[in-house]
Amino acid sequence: MSSGGGDRLGAVTKAQFPLLGRQVHGRPIVYLDSAASSQKPRCVLDAMNSYYETINANVHRGAYEIAAQATEAMEASRAGIARFVNAPSADEIVFTKNVTEAINLVARSWGGANLGPGDAVVITEMEHHANIVPWHIMAAEKGFELRWIGVGADGQLDLANLDQLLDGAKLLGVTAMSNVLGTLNPIRRLADAAHDAGALVLVDAAQYVPHLPTDVQALGADFLGFTGHKMCGPTGIGVLWARAELLEAMPPFLGGGEMILDVRKDGFLPNHIPHKFEAGTPPIAEIVGLGAAVAYLEGLGMDRVREHEVSLTAYALRTLEERYGPDLAVHGPSEPACRGGVLSMSFRDIHPHDLSQVLDDRGVCVRAGHHCAKPLMRHLGVPATARASLYVYNDTSDVDALADALGAAGEFFAR
Amino acid sequence: MAGLEDLYREIILDHYRNPRNRGELEVPPAVQAVGFNPLCGDEVVIYLEVQDGVIVEVSTGGQGCSISQSSASMMSTAVKGRSVAEVRRLVRAFKHMMSIHGTGIGGTGDDLDDDGDSGNGASDVKLGDLEALRGVVKFPVRIKCATLSWNTLVQALDETFA
């Protein structure tokens, strides 16, 4: 059964990802864990190899040819990434290790300078631990209040008392797309409400930027973080985008080389943005790789990527419903157009860890666990889920393999 | 390649479906310890009551996969009525079985005789039904599931004698 236009994209792109050609346990791999980490296309691997083979040198230092080329490659990536998310300036793109570090940077630097007793930070019950724990840490240190937007029906945020929660708040931290439910949150509406209340908005876009066309200006965000390895890029590289005036006013995060203009025995002068926040030698090859990943996704077209995933998610929801009915619950919004391709499943009374073990036996890779979202798990009333997540290289054959493997798991544990 | 049958032995599934010694004990006289597997969210609660150096009551609670919950159930039947000294030897023997290289990994296994037939080490301890969990070693990701309740038991023993 074909899902139309979306299936063709999956079939075409699969061949571009070397890892997807391998087998596990004697079967072709069925990779359904892209929400944890995506696979990498050949062009990204080639770009990183080529960097090491032809222009490897430290950046922003040497006057020799290859050092200049390395610097140029890194800054070209920064510019490409800025264009990819429609940032007004490449100076607003700060390279971090991942989105976790991006949020910690904001919590530590902006939060350290701006939050204190009597203040409040509002986050949601569907946040990843990366957008919870940094605020717990800073709240303990600075004495501000942490408030929570709950999750209501159909995996949507409960915004009934939003104005009340935002009253007196200095920051709203919210995920653009839940890594468990797939829920796409109404970022623009939330940002407008937060700004009306005098609060800034930090968007965890780790699950959003890889899957949908992203325009940081249209979203109305003040800070937005994402991570390279979930969007066809390498591990070890992430991005914090923030409005320039905020970055200018924030104190440095990590201190060291690269982030200074001058150092004396009695102090230092920080560098201009974004370098002020990039202490030490950066992961240059990874930055080059992320630049290649962004170019690859632009080549596919993010509108097409989104269309493919909506179509494949609809096929998956339909297939699982037809095959397993009420025995299988997929948490989160029921309407494919309102969600991403993240399918967190509870199947009969089979524990997700046991379920994923049987799926693995058939080459099907899904994530089992709490997905670093324990407050949300408690809300859902489940200890864990088995999560299948879709990306550009998945097609209906992957969904069919998942459905078959679920059947095998059901039989195995019914014996 | 290890097959699923190596992992999911019938006796394991039986303990998972019909857990023994499930419930709570009054604290005190019992002590309570809680263990977490941060990777998957599994949680094991152990209640332990020791009198005159003997474990007179043990009870388990929590939630998790078949391996973590069956291991907790089998552990509870294995330790009930035994002396604390015997139980500590059993813990060492079990963790020895659960270590990938057949030698103790980490603190509790360091004093272990690992040649398998030494007289005074953990190797003379009879594991009985617990042998069914031996297959877990072939699935390294699941070792933490099997050892969770045993580590929590050690916490409860340490709490008892704190």
Side-chain angles (χ1 to χ4, degrees):
Chain A
M1 187 173 166
S2 167
S3 67
D7 211 24
R8 286 196 296 277
L9 185 67
V12 168
T13 53
K14 210 181 267 280
Q16 297 164 344
F17 290 75
L19 186 140
L20 298 177
R22 70 162 282 179
Q23 299 201 327
V24 280
H25 307 319
R27 291 166 182 263
I29 191 168
V30 177
Y31 189 75
L32 293 170
D33 197 20
S34 299
S37 196
S38 74
Q39 297 304 334
K40 325 301 175 198
R42 171 71 68 196
C43 61
V44 167
L45 304 175
D46 286 349
M48 294 175 70
N49 263 334
S50 166
Y51 163 78
Y52 277 125
E53 287 173 1
T54 60
I55 59 171
N56 175 52
N58 213 331
V59 290
H60 299 131
R61 284 168 181 75
Y64 47 90
E65 175 72 3
I66 63 170
Q69 288 175 335
T71 304
E72 199 176 301
M74 171 171 159
E75 294 308 320
S77 280
R78 196 192 304 271
I81 292 161
R83 273 196 310 276
F84 189 66
V85 297
N86 198 29
S89 159
D91 291 343
E92 297 182 344
I93 299 293
V94 176
F95 288 121
T96 61
K97 186 167 66 180
N98 43 37
V99 69
T100 299
E101 188 181 85
I103 296 171
N104 275 273
L105 190 164
V106 175
R108 182 61 53 187
S109 168
W110 178 85
N114 290 285
L115 296 171
D119 292 330
V121 166
V122 181
I123 58 177
T124 88
E125 205 177 8
M126 67 168 78
E127 296 310 304
H128 186 284
H129 294 166
N131 201 18
I132 299 174
V133 182
W135 303 111
H136 274 316
I137 292 172
M138 289 305 286
E141 199 173 300
K142 293 286 173 179
F144 60 86
E145 182 193 354
L146 196 54
R147 296 178 189 162
W148 296 81
I149 298 175
V151 174
D154 204 36
Q156 302 290 343
L157 291 176
D158 177 2
L159 301 177
N161 55 351
L162 180 64
D163 290 344
Q164 210 178 319
L165 286 168
L166 286 172
D167 187 30
K170 280 203 163 172
L171 183 101
L172 167 65
V174 59
T175 179
M177 181 181 126
S178 164
N179 69 315
V180 175
L181 303 170
T183 311
L184 290 163
N185 284 321
I187 298 300
R188 182 72 215 202
R189 181 185 158 197
L190 290 165
D192 288 346
H195 291 152
D196 286 347
L200 296 176
V201 177
L202 177 149
V203 178
D204 173 359
Q207 301 289 346
Y208 187 91
V209 171
H211 302 283
L212 290 94
T214 304
D215 180 336
V216 293
Q217 300 180 70
L219 286 170
D222 298 293
F223 305 99
L224 183 140
F226 53 101
T227 205
H229 70 95
K230 293 188 200 294
M231 50 190 288
C232 299
T235 54
I237 184 67
V239 171
L240 170 68
W241 167 82
R243 288 196 290 110
E245 64 186 86
L246 292 168
L247 290 174
E248 301 278 12
M250 283 156 58
F253 175 47
L254 301 175
E258 188 79 30
M259 52 74 70
I260 51 91
L261 287 179
D262 189 21
V263 180
R264 297 171 310 274
K265 283 163 80 176
D266 63 350
F268 73 98
L269 200 58
N271 203 338
H272 303 297
I273 65 164
H275 309 294
K276 179 167 88 173
F277 295 102
E278 295 177 354
T281 297
I284 307 163
E286 284 73 14
I287 291 171
V288 168
L290 181 55
V294 160
Y296 173 76
L297 289 171
E298 269 176 340
L300 296 180
M302 289 308 293
D303 285 322
R304 230 169 121 228
V305 168
R306 174 63 182 151
E307 185 195 333
H308 167 69
E309 290 181 23
V310 171
S311 154
L312 198 54
T313 302
Y315 176 77
L317 291 172
R318 198 165 63 235
T319 302
L320 295 175
E321 167 67 25
E322 278 167 15
R323 293 276 292 269
Y324 301 109
D327 278 359
L328 189 140
V330 176
H331 301 281
S334 43
E335 175 55 50
C338 303
R339 56 147 46 241
V342 168
L343 308 169
S344 279
M345 303 174 289
S346 296
F347 186 46
R348 298 185 185 142
D349 59 351
I350 304 172
H351 189 278
H353 218 146
D354 295 318
L355 188 59
S356 72
Q357 189 81 58
V358 180
L359 298 194
D360 171 68
D361 197 49
R362 299 174 67 99
V364 178
C365 311
V366 302
R367 168 94 183 268
H370 52 63
H371 315 297
C372 298
K374 288 193 88 168
L376 178 59
M377 289 289 136
R378 291 197 178 94
H379 167 82
L380 295 172
V382 295
T385 69
R387 181 188 69 187
S389 50
L390 307 168
Y391 205 22
V392 291
Y393 36 71
N394 292 119
D395 56 26
T396 52
S397 75
D398 297 320
V399 173
D400 293 341
L402 169 68
D404 290 346
L406 286 167
E411 279 171 32
F412 185 83
F413 287 107
R415 73 197 163 102
Chain B
M1 177 197 123
L4 289 172
E5 285 74 18
D6 293 328
L7 182 64
Y8 295 111
R9 305 281 299 278
E10 198 47 55
I11 191 164
I12 293 177
L13 294 176
D14 176 57
H15 274 268
Y16 178 49
R17 290 174 184 135
N18 309 294
R20 326 292 202 266
N21 301 306
R22 183 94 182 157
E24 298 176 9
L25 296 176
E26 195 182 332
V27 181
V31 297
Q32 184 210 45
V34 185
F36 297 96
N37 182 341
L39 295 177
C40 62
D42 281 8
E43 200 178 305
V44 166
V45 188
I46 306 283
Y47 296 88
L48 199 64
E49 191 178 335
V50 178
Q51 280 177 18
D52 303 325
V54 172
I55 293 176
V56 293
E57 275 298 339
V58 59
S59 194
T60 71
Q63 55 193 12
C65 67
S66 58
I67 303 301
S68 74
Q69 299 304 300
S70 65
S71 182
S73 172
M74 293 164 85
M75 182 274 291
S76 74
T77 59
V79 305
K80 201 166 169 177
R82 295 174 86 163
S83 74
V84 170
E86 280 178 298
V87 166
R88 287 203 186 270
R89 276 199 298 277
L90 183 65
V91 170
R92 278 201 297 276
F94 182 78
K95 294 188 75 167
H96 179 75
M97 180 175 81
M98 281 296 123
S99 61
I100 295 176
H101 306 294
T103 58
I105 298 173
T108 56
D110 288 345
D111 55 345
L112 206 61
D113 295 307
D114 59 4
D115 56 6
D117 57 5
S118 157
N120 58 353
S123 49
D124 58 339
V125 176
K126 295 280 175 292
L127 286 165
D129 285 356
L130 294 167
E131 289 280 353
L133 286 162
R134 189 179 288 280
V136 173
V137 180
K138 295 175 189 164
F139 299 81
V141 177
R142 306 301 293 275
I143 292 174
K144 279 197 159 81
C145 311
T147 54
L148 177 62
S149 58
W150 294 81
N151 290 330
T152 313
L153 172 71
V154 171
Q155 278 178 49
L157 283 172
D158 292 347
E159 180 82 6
T160 303
F161 296 102

PDB file of all heavy atoms in Angstrom, chain A residues 317-340:
ATOM      1  N   LEU A 317      -0.567   5.496  11.712  1.00  0.00           N
ATOM      2  CA  LEU A 317      -1.692   5.496  12.657  1.00  0.00           C
ATOM      3  C   LEU A 317      -2.822   4.602  12.142  1.00  0.00           C
ATOM      4  O   LEU A 317      -3.423   3.834  12.898  1.00  0.00           O
ATOM      5  CB  LEU A 317      -2.202   6.929  12.885  1.00  0.00           C
ATOM      6  CG  LEU A 317      -1.251   7.862  13.664  1.00  0.00           C
ATOM      7  CD1 LEU A 317      -1.785   9.304  13.644  1.00  0.00           C
ATOM      8  CD2 LEU A 317      -1.077   7.385  15.109  1.00  0.00           C
ATOM      9  N   ARG A 318      -3.063   4.693  10.827  1.00  0.00           N
ATOM     10  CA  ARG A 318      -4.127   3.901  10.215  1.00  0.00           C
ATOM     11  C   ARG A 318      -3.783   2.408  10.275  1.00  0.00           C
ATOM     12  O   ARG A 318      -4.611   1.580  10.662  1.00  0.00           O
ATOM     13  CB  ARG A 318      -4.298   4.364   8.758  1.00  0.00           C
ATOM     14  CG  ARG A 318      -5.592   3.988   8.090  1.00  0.00           C
ATOM     15  CD  ARG A 318      -5.784   4.805   6.811  1.00  0.00           C
ATOM     16  NE  ARG A 318      -4.754   4.550   5.811  1.00  0.00           N
ATOM     17  CZ  ARG A 318      -3.993   5.491   5.255  1.00  0.00           C
ATOM     18  NH1 ARG A 318      -4.127   6.758   5.602  1.00  0.00           N
ATOM     19  NH2 ARG A 318      -3.095   5.164   4.326  1.00  0.00           N
ATOM     20  N   THR A 319      -2.552   2.087   9.913  1.00  0.00           N
ATOM     21  CA  THR A 319      -2.121   0.687   9.891  1.00  0.00           C
ATOM     22  C   THR A 319      -2.199   0.061  11.278  1.00  0.00           C
ATOM     23  O   THR A 319      -2.698  -1.054  11.456  1.00  0.00           O
ATOM     24  CB  THR A 319      -0.674   0.583   9.358  1.00  0.00           C
ATOM     25  OG1 THR A 319      -0.633   1.165   8.053  1.00  0.00           O
ATOM     26  CG2 THR A 319      -0.202  -0.861   9.278  1.00  0.00           C
ATOM     27  N   LEU A 320      -1.677   0.774  12.280  1.00  0.00           N
ATOM     28  CA  LEU A 320      -1.648   0.232  13.636  1.00  0.00           C
ATOM     29  C   LEU A 320      -3.064   0.070  14.173  1.00  0.00           C
ATOM     30  O   LEU A 320      -3.374  -0.909  14.856  1.00  0.00           O
ATOM     31  CB  LEU A 320      -0.805   1.129  14.553  1.00  0.00           C
ATOM     32  CG  LEU A 320       0.687   1.200  14.183  1.00  0.00           C
ATOM     33  CD1 LEU A 320       1.417   2.203  15.071  1.00  0.00           C
ATOM     34  CD2 LEU A 320       1.350  -0.178  14.291  1.00  0.00           C
ATOM     35  N   GLU A 321      -3.933   1.030  13.851  1.00  0.00           N
ATOM     36  CA  GLU A 321      -5.327   0.947  14.285  1.00  0.00           C
ATOM     37  C   GLU A 321      -6.016  -0.267  13.646  1.00  0.00           C
ATOM     38  O   GLU A 321      -6.697  -1.038  14.318  1.00  0.00           O
ATOM     39  CB  GLU A 321      -6.054   2.257  13.920  1.00  0.00           C
ATOM     40  CG  GLU A 321      -7.574   2.224  14.018  1.00  0.00           C
ATOM     41  CD  GLU A 321      -8.070   2.080  15.450  1.00  0.00           C
ATOM     42  OE1 GLU A 321      -7.338   2.472  16.373  1.00  0.00           O
ATOM     43  OE2 GLU A 321      -9.202   1.554  15.629  1.00  0.00           O
ATOM     44  N   GLU A 322      -5.785  -0.441  12.328  1.00  0.00           N
ATOM     45  CA  GLU A 322      -6.406  -1.572  11.625  1.00  0.00           C
ATOM     46  C   GLU A 322      -5.927  -2.908  12.176  1.00  0.00           C
ATOM     47  O   GLU A 322      -6.698  -3.841  12.344  1.00  0.00           O
ATOM     48  CB  GLU A 322      -6.078  -1.498  10.120  1.00  0.00           C
ATOM     49  CG  GLU A 322      -6.981  -0.554   9.344  1.00  0.00           C
ATOM     50  CD  GLU A 322      -6.442  -0.259   7.936  1.00  0.00           C
ATOM     51  OE1 GLU A 322      -5.529  -0.993   7.464  1.00  0.00           O
ATOM     52  OE2 GLU A 322      -6.922   0.701   7.330  1.00  0.00           O
ATOM     53  N   ARG A 323      -4.616  -2.980  12.465  1.00  0.00           N
ATOM     54  CA  ARG A 323      -4.039  -4.267  12.890  1.00  0.00           C
ATOM     55  C   ARG A 323      -4.331  -4.582  14.352  1.00  0.00           C
ATOM     56  O   ARG A 323      -4.549  -5.732  14.707  1.00  0.00           O
ATOM     57  CB  ARG A 323      -2.516  -4.253  12.680  1.00  0.00           C
ATOM     58  CG  ARG A 323      -2.079  -4.199  11.225  1.00  0.00           C
ATOM     59  CD  ARG A 323      -2.035  -5.574  10.564  1.00  0.00           C
ATOM     60  NE  ARG A 323      -0.989  -6.448  11.076  1.00  0.00           N
ATOM     61  CZ  ARG A 323       0.241  -6.530  10.579  1.00  0.00           C
ATOM     62  NH1 ARG A 323       0.592  -5.776   9.544  1.00  0.00           N
ATOM     63  NH2 ARG A 323       1.117  -7.380  11.098  1.00  0.00           N
ATOM     64  N   TYR A 324      -4.326  -3.580  15.214  1.00  0.00           N
ATOM     65  CA  TYR A 324      -4.349  -3.874  16.651  1.00  0.00           C
ATOM     66  C   TYR A 324      -5.465  -3.192  17.428  1.00  0.00           C
ATOM     67  O   TYR A 324      -5.628  -3.475  18.622  1.00  0.00           O
ATOM     68  CB  TYR A 324      -2.968  -3.557  17.262  1.00  0.00           C
ATOM     69  CG  TYR A 324      -1.896  -4.366  16.590  1.00  0.00           C
ATOM     70  CD1 TYR A 324      -0.971  -3.771  15.743  1.00  0.00           C
ATOM     71  CD2 TYR A 324      -1.877  -5.750  16.734  1.00  0.00           C
ATOM     72  CE1 TYR A 324      -0.022  -4.538  15.078  1.00  0.00           C
ATOM     73  CE2 TYR A 324      -0.935  -6.528  16.073  1.00  0.00           C
ATOM     74  CZ  TYR A 324      -0.010  -5.914  15.248  1.00  0.00           C
ATOM     75  OH  TYR A 324       0.901  -6.670  14.592  1.00  0.00           O
ATOM     76  N   GLY A 325      -6.198  -2.285  16.797  1.00  0.00           N
ATOM     77  CA  GLY A 325      -7.343  -1.665  17.462  1.00  0.00           C
ATOM     78  C   GLY A 325      -7.017  -1.184  18.857  1.00  0.00           C
ATOM     79  O   GLY A 325      -5.983  -0.555  19.075  1.00  0.00           O
ATOM     80  N   PRO A 326      -7.887  -1.507  19.820  1.00  0.00           N
ATOM     81  CA  PRO A 326      -7.713  -0.974  21.176  1.00  0.00           C
ATOM     82  C   PRO A 326      -6.547  -1.625  21.937  1.00  0.00           C
ATOM     83  O   PRO A 326      -6.206  -1.165  23.023  1.00  0.00           O
ATOM     84  CB  PRO A 326      -9.047  -1.321  21.864  1.00  0.00           C
ATOM     85  CG  PRO A 326      -9.620  -2.444  21.067  1.00  0.00           C
ATOM     86  CD  PRO A 326      -9.127  -2.280  19.666  1.00  0.00           C
ATOM     87  N   ASP A 327      -5.929  -2.684  21.383  1.00  0.00           N
ATOM     88  CA  ASP A 327      -4.780  -3.296  22.066  1.00  0.00           C
ATOM     89  C   ASP A 327      -3.549  -2.396  22.036  1.00  0.00           C
ATOM     90  O   ASP A 327      -2.601  -2.587  22.790  1.00  0.00           O
ATOM     91  CB  ASP A 327      -4.397  -4.630  21.383  1.00  0.00           C
ATOM     92  CG  ASP A 327      -5.277  -5.768  21.860  1.00  0.00           C
ATOM     93  OD1 ASP A 327      -6.147  -5.510  22.713  1.00  0.00           O
ATOM     94  OD2 ASP A 327      -5.098  -6.894  21.367  1.00  0.00           O
ATOM     95  N   LEU A 328      -3.552  -1.457  21.096  1.00  0.00           N
ATOM     96  CA  LEU A 328      -2.386  -0.598  20.951  1.00  0.00           C
ATOM     97  C   LEU A 328      -2.796   0.866  21.070  1.00  0.00           C
ATOM     98  O   LEU A 328      -3.643   1.340  20.315  1.00  0.00           O
ATOM     99  CB  LEU A 328      -1.695  -0.843  19.602  1.00  0.00           C
ATOM    100  CG  LEU A 328      -0.350  -0.147  19.437  1.00  0.00           C
ATOM    101  CD1 LEU A 328       0.637  -1.058  18.717  1.00  0.00           C
ATOM    102  CD2 LEU A 328      -0.469   1.169  18.692  1.00  0.00           C
ATOM    103  N   ALA A 329      -2.217   1.563  22.058  1.00  0.00           N
ATOM    104  CA  ALA A 329      -2.493   2.995  22.223  1.00  0.00           C
ATOM    105  C   ALA A 329      -1.296   3.788  21.731  1.00  0.00           C
ATOM    106  O   ALA A 329      -0.158   3.486  22.084  1.00  0.00           O
ATOM    107  CB  ALA A 329      -2.766   3.303  23.692  1.00  0.00           C
ATOM    108  N   VAL A 330      -1.560   4.774  20.864  1.00  0.00           N
ATOM    109  CA  VAL A 330      -0.513   5.725  20.481  1.00  0.00           C
ATOM    110  C   VAL A 330      -0.827   7.023  21.217  1.00  0.00           C
ATOM    111  O   VAL A 330      -1.887   7.617  21.012  1.00  0.00           O
ATOM    112  CB  VAL A 330      -0.481   5.964  18.964  1.00  0.00           C
ATOM    113  CG1 VAL A 330       0.556   7.024  18.614  1.00  0.00           C
ATOM    114  CG2 VAL A 330      -0.167   4.659  18.228  1.00  0.00           C
ATOM    115  N   HIS A 331       0.078   7.440  22.112  1.00  0.00           N
ATOM    116  CA  HIS A 331      -0.168   8.635  22.905  1.00  0.00           C
ATOM    117  C   HIS A 331      -0.011   9.886  22.036  1.00  0.00           C
ATOM    118  O   HIS A 331       0.777   9.894  21.100  1.00  0.00           O
ATOM    119  CB  HIS A 331       0.808   8.691  24.076  1.00  0.00           C
ATOM    120  CG  HIS A 331       0.718   7.489  24.983  1.00  0.00           C
ATOM    121  ND1 HIS A 331      -0.274   7.343  25.928  1.00  0.00           N
ATOM    122  CD2 HIS A 331       1.464   6.358  25.064  1.00  0.00           C
ATOM    123  CE1 HIS A 331      -0.121   6.185  26.560  1.00  0.00           C
ATOM    124  NE2 HIS A 331       0.934   5.567  26.054  1.00  0.00           N
ATOM    125  N   GLY A 332      -0.768  10.931  22.378  1.00  0.00           N
ATOM    126  CA  GLY A 332      -0.614  12.194  21.656  1.00  0.00           C
ATOM    127  C   GLY A 332      -1.749  12.468  20.704  1.00  0.00           C
ATOM    128  O   GLY A 332      -2.707  11.689  20.608  1.00  0.00           O
ATOM    129  N   PRO A 333      -1.649  13.597  19.965  1.00  0.00           N
ATOM    130  CA  PRO A 333      -2.747  14.025  19.091  1.00  0.00           C
ATOM    131  C   PRO A 333      -3.114  12.959  18.069  1.00  0.00           C
ATOM    132  O   PRO A 333      -2.248  12.273  17.535  1.00  0.00           O
ATOM    133  CB  PRO A 333      -2.174  15.261  18.386  1.00  0.00           C
ATOM    134  CG  PRO A 333      -1.106  15.760  19.295  1.00  0.00           C
ATOM    135  CD  PRO A 333      -0.536  14.551  19.960  1.00  0.00           C
ATOM    136  N   SER A 334      -4.412  12.816  17.815  1.00  0.00           N
ATOM    137  CA  SER A 334      -4.881  11.789  16.898  1.00  0.00           C
ATOM    138  C   SER A 334      -4.795  12.247  15.440  1.00  0.00           C
ATOM    139  O   SER A 334      -4.766  11.422  14.529  1.00  0.00           O
ATOM    140  CB  SER A 334      -6.309  11.387  17.252  1.00  0.00           C
ATOM    141  OG  SER A 334      -7.077  12.543  17.535  1.00  0.00           O
ATOM    142  N   GLU A 335      -4.762  13.561  15.216  1.00  0.00           N
ATOM    143  CA  GLU A 335      -4.789  14.105  13.861  1.00  0.00           C
ATOM    144  C   GLU A 335      -3.347  14.303  13.345  1.00  0.00           C
ATOM    145  O   GLU A 335      -2.582  15.081  13.912  1.00  0.00           O
ATOM    146  CB  GLU A 335      -5.543  15.442  13.881  1.00  0.00           C
ATOM    147  CG  GLU A 335      -5.564  16.216  12.580  1.00  0.00           C
ATOM    148  CD  GLU A 335      -6.096  15.386  11.419  1.00  0.00           C
ATOM    149  OE1 GLU A 335      -7.179  14.770  11.574  1.00  0.00           O
ATOM    150  OE2 GLU A 335      -5.416  15.353  10.378  1.00  0.00           O
ATOM    151  N   PRO A 336      -2.953  13.587  12.265  1.00  0.00           N
ATOM    152  CA  PRO A 336      -1.567  13.662  11.770  1.00  0.00           C
ATOM    153  C   PRO A 336      -1.093  15.089  11.462  1.00  0.00           C
ATOM    154  O   PRO A 336       0.087  15.393  11.641  1.00  0.00           O
ATOM    155  CB  PRO A 336      -1.604  12.814  10.492  1.00  0.00           C
ATOM    156  CG  PRO A 336      -2.741  11.875  10.691  1.00  0.00           C
ATOM    157  CD  PRO A 336      -3.754  12.617  11.514  1.00  0.00           C
ATOM    158  N   ALA A 337      -2.002  15.946  11.003  1.00  0.00           N
ATOM    159  CA  ALA A 337      -1.591  17.303  10.644  1.00  0.00           C
ATOM    160  C   ALA A 337      -1.220  18.134  11.873  1.00  0.00           C
ATOM    161  O   ALA A 337      -0.600  19.191  11.755  1.00  0.00           O
ATOM    162  CB  ALA A 337      -2.705  17.996   9.864  1.00  0.00           C
ATOM    163  N   CYS A 338      -1.604  17.675  13.075  1.00  0.00           N
ATOM    164  CA  CYS A 338      -1.337  18.417  14.305  1.00  0.00           C
ATOM    165  C   CYS A 338      -0.155  17.841  15.070  1.00  0.00           C
ATOM    166  O   CYS A 338       0.060  18.190  16.226  1.00  0.00           O
ATOM    167  CB  CYS A 338      -2.547  18.397  15.235  1.00  0.00           C
ATOM    168  SG  CYS A 338      -4.030  19.026  14.493  1.00  0.00           S
ATOM    169  N   ARG A 339       0.564  16.942  14.461  1.00  0.00           N
ATOM    170  CA  ARG A 339       1.617  16.261  15.218  1.00  0.00           C
ATOM    171  C   ARG A 339       2.786  15.922  14.314  1.00  0.00           C
ATOM    172  O   ARG A 339       2.692  15.974  13.101  1.00  0.00           O
ATOM    173  CB  ARG A 339       1.055  14.991  15.859  1.00  0.00           C
ATOM    174  CG  ARG A 339       0.438  14.061  14.829  1.00  0.00           C
ATOM    175  CD  ARG A 339       0.546  12.583  15.086  1.00  0.00           C
ATOM    176  NE  ARG A 339       0.233  12.102  16.401  1.00  0.00           N
ATOM    177  CZ  ARG A 339       1.120  11.473  17.158  1.00  0.00           C
ATOM    178  NH1 ARG A 339       2.357  11.311  16.728  1.00  0.00           N
ATOM    179  NH2 ARG A 339       0.767  10.987  18.339  1.00  0.00           N
ATOM    180  N   GLY A 340       3.897  15.570  14.945  1.00  0.00           N
ATOM    181  CA  GLY A 340       5.044  15.066  14.216  1.00  0.00           C
ATOM    182  C   GLY A 340       5.000  13.548  14.168  1.00  0.00           C
ATOM    183  O   GLY A 340       4.118  12.918  14.749  1.00  0.00           O
TER     184      GLY A 340
END
